[in-house]
Amino acid sequence: MTNQPGPAKDDLATRSNSTIENSRRELFDLSLDVHAHPELNYEEYYSSNALAGFLESRGLPVERGIGGVETAFRATIPGGGGEGPTVAVLAEYDALPEIGHGCGHNLIAMAAMGAALGLQANAQSLPGQVVVIGTPAEEGGGGKIKLLEAGVFDGVDATLSSHPFSNRTLIPATAARGESWSLAMVGYRYMYHGRAAHAAAAPEAGVNALNAVIHLFTGIDALRQHLRDDVRIHGVITDGGMAPNVVPEFAAANFMLRSRDGRYLSDEVVGKVLQVAEGAAAMTGARLEVEEFYPCYENVQPNVTLAQAVGANAQALGFKLDEPVAGRPGSGASTDFGNVSQVMPAFELRYAVSETPVPSHTRDMCATATTDLALSNALVVAKALSLTATDLLRDASLVEAAKTEFAERSN
């Protein structure tokens, strides 16, 4: 793979940017359509069809149901300039229960579709190929994990994506060895089986499963001071009995466990929380049953090479970049994009969608994801992703630098 002469970068950029800009209204309408039809994990039939249909209407062949996931898809944009790398651009489009698109995945989808149009416009002048992958079930379902396991990402040299990020656009200029740009996460369901009894007439005959869940919560609260400060543990009681005059025979809680260090999470946090859960069972006499509730989301591994390539293009487009907050590297959330970043160079641009802070996973963010500012910024992101993918296709040394950094951070 060698650097390609071909057309000048400015000519390619002009064609890509104008193509995306000329599709502004269609892209905005597509984003708003996805937003108006919120769908949960692996149920994104409307959104998946809308996005795949949009690409097909622009002449791109689309494979649906890839990796054995019904709502996943892949469109391939082959280059006409000879051999080269394969660059992936990812779309997300699932929503949250009750809240809808409170994480702005409709904007992620739109940015990927726009990037596809920009890259299609220059395809005959570019080596290699681009794959636009529709990845369902980011909100806890681990869609990208399934696609990775099914080989959908095999042969991909680098992956690009994006995500709304309140009122800030962050592209780190550096990342220390061992630094993480998100929290690794895994979820468990802790279920306690007791024995029902009349809560007033014969409480001594019962085994209170709800008491076990309450001890689980208090035990975890006591554990927090003995864990690293980057650890987050949070849960909800899903079952706690049906009537106060019946000793609850079954109670359960779902917990998410997170840390910036995936190994610390798996080697320390998971086991310590399990000990607390077992202790709660021993204290009450209830029987404990544990099952995985969320798949393991790896922490996002930094790739400054890709980040700076995206940043240079974003700045050239006039996008304002913010300084990272001191002491808070990366995102405090979790994403299955982290699993992608652990197997290849990858970067997800987190960008502003509001003038003022707006919390993610809220109805406020759901409303923000339809504003003119959010849509306009997502359009700029589409241009930046298209230009960066173009750089990767044309410049072998940039791909190799991203791979070298990935290898160094993976050791």
Side-chain angles (χ1 to χ4, degrees), residues 52-290:
F54 177 83
L55 294 172
E56 288 171 335
S57 73
R58 299 305 181 107
L60 291 175
V62 178
E63 305 166 76
R64 303 177 188 234
I66 59 171
V69 179
E70 284 187 299
T71 53
F73 63 85
R74 174 175 54 206
T76 301
I77 306 172
E83 293 186 3
T86 296
V87 178
V89 178
L90 306 188
E92 295 176 10
Y93 35 91
D94 61 321
L96 294 159
E98 299 184 7
I99 293 173
H101 277 288
C103 205
H105 288 190
N106 60 300
L107 299 170
I108 302 173
M110 181 197 124
M113 298 302 102
L117 299 184
L119 288 158
Q120 182 190 29
N122 286 318
Q124 290 307 304
S125 301
L126 299 173
Q129 65 176 354
V130 174
V131 288
V132 180
I133 304 176
T135 61
E138 189 276 337
E139 296 292 355
K144 295 181 190 65
I145 300 172
K146 289 190 176 183
L147 297 181
L148 283 164
E149 292 173 346
V152 171
F153 285 86
D154 290 357
V156 174
D157 294 284
T159 294
L160 302 172
S161 190
S162 64
H163 203 291
F165 194 59
S166 188
N167 62 322
R168 297 174 64 79
T169 300
L170 299 178
I171 301 182
T174 61
R177 184 72 179 269
E179 183 176 311
S180 171
W181 283 351
S182 78
L183 301 180
M185 180 272 287
V186 67
Y188 290 98
R189 178 168 171 79
Y190 301 94
M191 299 168 284
Y192 291 92
H193 301 269
R195 184 170 58 249
H198 195 292
E204 72 281 0
V207 174
N208 195 317
L210 179 57
N211 281 349
V213 168
I214 292 171
H215 286 309
L216 171 64
F217 272 83
T218 58
I220 288 174
D221 283 343
L223 175 64
R224 295 182 197 278
Q225 66 175 313
H226 303 294
L227 298 172
R228 290 183 355 186
D229 60 7
D230 62 284
V231 173
R232 300 290 184 269
I233 305 175
H234 40 98
V236 295
I237 297 175
T238 60
D239 301 85
M242 299 300 293
N245 62 343
V246 178
V247 174
E249 65 179 347
F250 178 77
N254 296 341
F255 273 88
M256 286 177 152
L257 320 178
R258 309 188 197 230
S259 171
R260 288 204 177 276
D261 184 340
R263 290 183 180 178
Y264 180 72
L265 178 67
S266 60
D267 295 348
E268 297 288 336
V269 179
V270 171
K272 288 181 177 180
V273 173
L274 178 60
Q275 289 178 333
V276 170
E278 291 170 340
M283 292 171 67
T284 58
R287 177 174 63 84
L288 171 65
E289 181 183 2
V290 182

